[in-house]
Amino acid sequence: MRKIVGIATFKGREKALQKAIESLQYQCDEIIIYDNEVNPNLTDNGKFYGLTLQDKPCYFFTCDDDLQYPPNYISTMVDAIENHKTIVTHHGRELIGVNRSYYRGHKNFRCLDENNTIKQIDVCGTGVTGFRTDYFNPTELYKSKDKRMSDLVFSLETKKQGKKITI
């Protein structure tokens, strides 16, 4: 099954983007870059645009233009996807009640910290997320009117479709 990476970017991120690409280029079959300076500005939702270009099931990885990924990132993500049969991520939140600050009132798992927890969570960090498109394929997410909120846009759609996210 093909391994596809989707990344959104904008002006001023060229050097960081190049490093992200270099860290992923030999791990996947294709990297689809959505440039918000050249195309209509979808902000971070542009990383989902590549889903519309797939005609067969694939592994799809939503990545950020300012992260460098380890050399085994894609292979370990594929293993986790197959092991848990869910969407997998290295970043996110477990929501623990109402009337709390989204940023400070819930259990947070940061992608740059060591996380030894394997559990289902509510909100994934789309800069470090992967899934099989025959399990979850939100091809319309890039059109969301909610900008700069791709983690929430994506995770809300998983809930609507009854899909699970594992960190």
Side-chain angles (χ1 to χ4, degrees), residues 102-155:
Y102 175 72
Y103 295 102
R104 293 185 196 92
H106 303 282
K107 177 74 173 153
N108 185 29
F109 301 93
R110 291 178 20 102
C111 72
L112 300 178
D113 290 346
E114 183 174 334
N115 288 316
N116 294 317
T117 302
I118 297 175
K119 66 185 301 182
Q120 289 185 5
I121 61 171
D122 302 297
V123 180
C124 70
T126 57
V128 286
T129 293
F131 53 94
R132 287 178 60 137
T133 60
D134 54 355
Y135 175 73
F136 183 62
N137 195 6
T139 57
E140 300 295 308
L141 277 190
Y142 76 97
K143 296 178 182 178
S144 175
K145 298 198 185 323
D146 296 310
K147 306 296 185 196
R148 295 178 183 85
M149 301 179 70
S150 66
D151 296 355
L152 294 172
V153 168
F154 182 92
S155 299

Side-chain angles (χ1 to χ4, degrees), residues 4-9 13 31-36 40 42-54 60-67 69 91 124-129 131 138-139 141-143 148-152 154:
I4 311 297
V5 170
I7 300 176
T9 195
R13 305 286 283 245
I31 299 174
I32 299 169
I33 308 295
Y34 189 91
D35 188 340
N36 284 292
L42 302 176
T43 66
D44 52 347
N45 293 337
K47 67 180 79 174
F48 306 127
Y49 179 77
L51 289 166
T52 66
L53 306 175
Q54 307 312 309
F60 197 86
F61 303 91
T62 55
C63 294
D64 281 350
D65 65 354
D66 62 346
L67 291 178
Y69 296 83
H91 171 74
C124 70
T126 57
V128 286
T129 293
F131 53 94
T139 57
L141 277 190
Y142 76 97
K143 296 178 182 178
R148 295 178 183 85
M149 301 179 70
S150 66
D151 296 355
L152 294 172
F154 182 92

